[in-house]
Amino acid sequence: MPARTGRPPKISKTDILTAAHRVIDEEGTQALTMRRLAREVGTTPMALYHHVRDKDELLLLLLDEYAAGVPRPEPPAGAGPGERVVAAAVAMREALTRVPWIVEVLRADDLMSARALWYPEEIIDAAVQAGLTPEDAVDAYRIIWHYTAGEISARSAAARRREDDRPTHRGRVFEDLDATRLPRLAALGPRWEELTSRDTYDKGIRALVRGLLPRP
Amino acid sequence: MPARTGRPPKISKTDILTAAHRVIDEEGTQALTMRRLAREVGTTPMALYHHVRDKDELLLLLLDEYAAGVPRPEPPAGAGPGERVVAAAVAMREALTRVPWIVEVLRADDLMSARALWYPEEIIDAAVQAGLTPEDAVDAYRIIWHYTAGEISARSAAARRREDDRPTHRGRVFEDLDATRLPRLAALGPRWEELTSRDTYDKGIRALVRGLLPRP
DNA sequence: GTGACTTTTTATACATGTATAGAAAGTAAC
DNA sequence: GTTACTTTCTATACATGTATAAAAAGTCAC
């Protein structure tokens, strides 16, 4: 154990993560600011930046810790490759949906944390079992990931919109549609809010699997 | 023409949008701050907030203006419904990719601006032509939209990562993969960067169309 | 004109992420 | 011990979006 040189650290990455968890658990995501976190661990805000690169990385580390706590379920027994992909994607989306700050992480990085990597592993493996080349299997995974990330983002934006009662641009747009140029939308207009509040993730994933994997 | 009451406005929404365009054209998106914009139109920052709700709405209005300038292409002659959907989705993604601030807009709202609505119109119409019910056609559009938004976000995040030469969390994660638990990823590891830099949007859209529309 | 009312603009303030510069606190060589 | 070097921490500062309160500038009824 070689003695380390330099000023001995007062705080560790673990301290930071623990404190961050505490703050989020007790007061929610929006209470997690760098200043607040610094106070919580007993330092100055900028000291945190020696342990994490920026706030986005902090969130990614939190996500990783969270992922470590999610058990890796066994793929359903006797399931075909297609069903394995669907099951993994659905589990991935569900796990991510539970993370309140997930949107920030999605914006920052397109890949999951180390301990969440079994999702891509499972999806890619199942795709290869179904007959895809490894390259095609990676493509399939990325396509599924893009779809999943987009769906999560959109859902979160919709939820924010619902909380916020200020009148939205969106509403105005849909009120006066040109029925000549946009007949379908005009016809659907009144039902738009209802139609677009349905959960279509599964439907999309199944369509993707049908379209990506070779016909059995 | 009823005379308006209240203090007469010094600036209009049009002034703001014009100035915003000028700033973006001349100095790029990151130069567009509320303070800068206020200086440009000759007011105080907060005066802008009487004409736009917040910066996100401003960007949405800019997107709408931009969309007005993109001509609505005729669907390819003699194309089947599936090809029409693909063409519309590809055009939508391409148009949005050209808007540098698109990521902010995607985060704020899941729907496009008024003058960009022909994309969903075209997709929904083609889906109905293919035999879907209007409800299923809306679902199909939303699924395609989620996929598209996710892909654009991921691409933009990847581009930012490339510009930034600071070492990324992502890199470290992929260096030490547990080959026992994650054999596929470990095998692909060295090629991951290359494999995930490919453009798979078309492939995904075609898979979605295959999976969503009834077999012809 | 005067006072009530409305709309728009201004001034000020705050919270946030983080850049930058340098101080503090240790080890290692001599 | 003194000096050089390294790592971590602190202080200060800035740019940003936007909340809040009040001021300004008009119309209208009388």
Side-chain angles (χ1 to χ4, degrees):
Chain A
M1 196 66 75
R4 308 230 308 105
T5 172
R7 176 174 178 168
K10 234 174 73 175
I11 58 173
S12 70
K13 204 178 268 194
T14 314
D15 295 339
I16 296 179
L17 291 178
T18 310
H21 258 128
R22 196 171 52 236
V23 171
I24 288 183
D25 284 353
E26 289 173 6
E27 302 180 46
T29 311
Q30 99 273 354
L32 187 72
T33 68
M34 297 308 270
R35 283 174 172 81
R36 173 67 198 280
L37 190 51
R39 241 172 39 229
E40 208 80 13
V41 297
T43 28
T44 59
M46 291 312 292
L48 303 174
Y49 285 84
H50 256 263
H51 303 267
V52 297
R53 181 171 102 159
D54 51 25
K55 197 183 175 185
D56 283 342
E57 181 179 295
L58 173 66
L59 293 177
L60 205 62
L61 292 170
L62 284 176
L63 175 66
D64 190 52
E65 283 209 335
Y66 163 74
V70 178
R72 170 173 180 168
E74 278 305 303
E83 293 160 71
R84 278 179 61 203
V85 172
V86 170
V90 167
M92 173 166 77
R93 183 252 200 166
E94 196 178 311
L96 293 179
T97 302
R98 294 194 197 289
V99 182
W101 66 92
I102 187 63
V103 197
E104 323 279 303
V105 179
L106 290 184
R107 197 189 32 172
D109 215 304
D110 60 349
L111 191 67
M112 336 224 47
S113 71
R115 286 180 279 193
L117 285 179
W118 82 261
Y119 295 114
E121 173 76 20
E122 172 76 3
I123 289 174
I124 291 174
D125 185 59
V128 172
Q129 294 295 328
L132 296 193
T133 65
E135 289 80 9
D136 283 339
V138 170
D139 286 353
Y141 164 67
R142 287 183 67 224
I143 288 165
I144 289 174
W145 170 247
H146 292 157
Y147 170 62
T148 304
E151 201 267 350
I152 292 174
S153 276
R155 260 173 92 80
S156 143
R160 250 174 296 146
R161 211 177 323 113
R162 243 173 278 123
E163 280 177 21
D164 189 353
D165 45 357
R166 290 181 299 176
T168 158
H169 186 75
R170 178 193 162 94
R172 262 167 284 153
V173 165
F174 250 78
E175 266 164 21
D176 35 51
L177 283 180
D178 180 349
T180 311
R181 300 179 40 136
L182 306 170
R184 295 281 179 203
L185 292 183
L188 289 163
R191 300 179 55 205
W192 190 258
E193 204 60 44
E194 166 219 336
L195 288 175
T196 57
S197 65
R198 306 199 301 203
D199 184 347
T200 53
Y201 183 78
D202 282 34
K203 192 171 182 177
I205 273 294
R206 284 173 205 284
L208 273 177
V209 167
R210 263 197 307 279
L212 287 168
L213 299 191
R215 306 270 164 83
Chain B
M1 193 69 73
R4 307 229 309 103
T5 172
R7 177 174 177 167
K10 234 174 72 174
I11 58 173
S12 70
K13 203 178 269 193
T14 315
D15 294 340
I16 296 179
L17 291 178
T18 310
H21 259 128
R22 197 170 53 235
V23 172
I24 289 182
D25 284 354
E26 289 173 6
E27 303 180 45
T29 311
Q30 98 272 356
L32 187 71
T33 69
M34 297 307 269
R35 283 172 172 83
R36 174 65 199 281
L37 190 51
R39 241 171 40 227
E40 208 80 13
V41 298
T43 29
T44 58
M46 290 313 292
L48 302 174
Y49 285 83
H50 256 263
H51 302 267
V52 298
R53 183 171 101 158
D54 53 24
K55 196 183 176 185
D56 282 342
E57 181 179 294
L58 173 66
L59 293 177
L60 206 62
L61 291 170
L62 284 176
L63 175 67
D64 191 52
E65 284 210 334
Y66 163 74
V70 178
R72 170 173 179 167
E74 279 305 303
E83 293 160 71
R84 279 179 60 203
V85 172
V86 171
V90 168
M92 173 165 79
R93 181 251 199 167
E94 196 179 310
L96 293 180
T97 302
R98 294 193 196 290
V99 182
W101 66 93
I102 187 63
V103 198
E104 324 278 303
V105 179
L106 290 184
R107 198 191 30 174
D109 215 304
D110 60 348
L111 192 67
M112 338 222 45
S113 70
R115 288 180 278 192
L117 285 180
W118 83 261
Y119 293 114
E121 173 75 22
E122 172 75 5
I123 289 174
I124 291 174
D125 185 60
V128 171
Q129 294 295 327
L132 295 193
T133 65
E135 289 79 10
D136 283 340
V138 170
D139 286 352
Y141 164 68
R142 287 182 68 223
I143 289 165
I144 289 174
W145 169 248
H146 292 156
Y147 170 61
T148 304
E151 200 267 350
I152 291 174
S153 275
R155 261 173 91 79
S156 142
R160 250 175 295 147
R161 212 178 321 115
R162 244 173 278 122
E163 280 178 22
D164 189 352
D165 45 357
R166 291 180 297 176
T168 158
H169 185 75
R170 178 192 163 94
R172 261 167 286 154
V173 165
F174 250 78
E175 266 163 22
D176 35 51
L177 284 179
D178 180 349
T180 312
R181 300 179 39 134
L182 304 170
R184 295 281 180 203
L185 292 182
L188 290 162
R191 301 178 55 204
W192 190 257
E193 204 59 44
E194 167 219 336
L195 288 175
T196 57
S197 64
R198 307 198 302 201
D199 185 347
T200 53
Y201 183 78
D202 281 35
K203 193 172 180 175
I205 273 295
R206 284 173 205 284
L208 273 177
V209 167
R210 262 197 308 277
L212 286 168
L213 300 190
R215 308 268 165 83

